[in-house]
Amino acid sequence: MSGEIGRQKFREVMGNFATGVAVVTGGDPRGNPLGFTANAVTSVSLDPLLVLVAVDRDSTSLPALLESGSFALSFLRARDRGLALRFARSERDARFQGLALREDVTGAPILEQALAWVDCSIWKSVEAGDHLVVFGEVAGCGTQGHEDPLIFFQGRYGTISP
Ligand SMILES: Cc1cc2nc3c(=O)[nH]c(=O)nc-3n(C[C@H](O)[C@H](O)[C@H](O)COP(=O)(O)O)c2cc1C
């Protein structure tokens, strides 16, 4: 059924659903930070507090993230679109260069310059086609300042002012 539509058209259509942009972070077994850009992120439940991120099964960060049992979401500010590119494209080792990090409850790294953040323990993960939907139970969260958000829409970055 979905074969008749095609990936390109599906991506184009879904690109009309404007989203924020997050960096998903965690730690590998040696304690090194790992992270990647994601917009397939949403809040799911209030009881318990749950979020989800849909992660490509080809993600090189995914195995370590699952093994660590936790992850954090850092929501990007409009002026940090460079970080969205960096965490999508650069070598994994270069992604955190020069960035101030901190931890909350689980130990997953949080970007100091994020607009807001959510710290999670992995609650469950569900296979969904070529992605794995990873649910996080919220262990901590907060906002930091009042800046405009980075928005992803029709394959481009932008912002909105509330
Ligand atoms: C705006 C944007 C949104 C993205 N959203 C997701 C996403 O929701 N899930 C995902 O697995 N990859 C997403 N990606 C792609 C990953 O960031 C990219 O494949 C990254 O290199 C994966 O890193 P890793 O191999 O270290 O896990 C997105 C990229 C961009 C630029």
Side-chain angles (χ1 to χ4, degrees):
M1 187 77 166
S2 54
E4 293 162 23
I5 293 170
R7 302 161 67 110
Q8 194 58 35
K9 181 173 181 187
F10 180 63
R11 290 182 86 144
E12 191 185 315
V13 170
M14 293 310 295
N16 288 281
F17 189 60
T19 66
V21 182
V23 175
V24 181
T25 51
D28 74 13
R30 275 161 286 143
N32 300 314
L34 57 87
F36 58 92
T37 303
N39 71 334
V41 168
T42 191
S43 73
V44 174
S45 162
L46 292 176
D47 185 18
L49 296 177
L50 296 175
V51 295
L52 72 74
V53 55
V55 185
D56 193 321
R57 290 208 209 195
D58 288 337
S59 157
T60 59
S61 303
L62 182 58
L65 200 77
L66 294 173
E67 197 179 325
S68 75
S70 61
F71 67 90
L73 302 171
S74 294
F75 301 141
L76 296 182
R77 308 178 298 187
R79 61 180 157 131
D80 287 329
R81 82 170 58 181
L83 289 184
L85 297 172
R86 193 205 287 196
F87 276 90
R89 294 192 194 148
S90 311
E91 291 299 314
R92 269 177 59 179
D93 291 349
R95 292 180 182 176
F96 287 90
Q97 239 164 46
L99 292 180
L101 303 174
R102 64 184 178 79
E103 296 176 5
D104 192 44
V105 179
T106 70
I110 294 161
L111 306 191
E112 286 271 20
Q113 66 206 78
L115 193 61
W117 51 272
V118 184
D119 185 25
C120 305
S121 310
I122 294 178
W123 183 74
K124 197 176 281 188
S125 53
V126 177
E127 292 180 6
D130 54 13
H131 279 55
L132 191 76
V133 179
V134 182
F135 292 87
E137 182 162 11
V138 179
C141 61
T143 56
Q144 311 182 125
H146 299 280
E147 290 204 35
D148 294 341
L150 184 61
I151 299 292
F152 196 62
F153 175 61
Q154 293 186 341
R156 295 196 206 142
Y157 297 99
T159 191
I160 48 158
S161 296

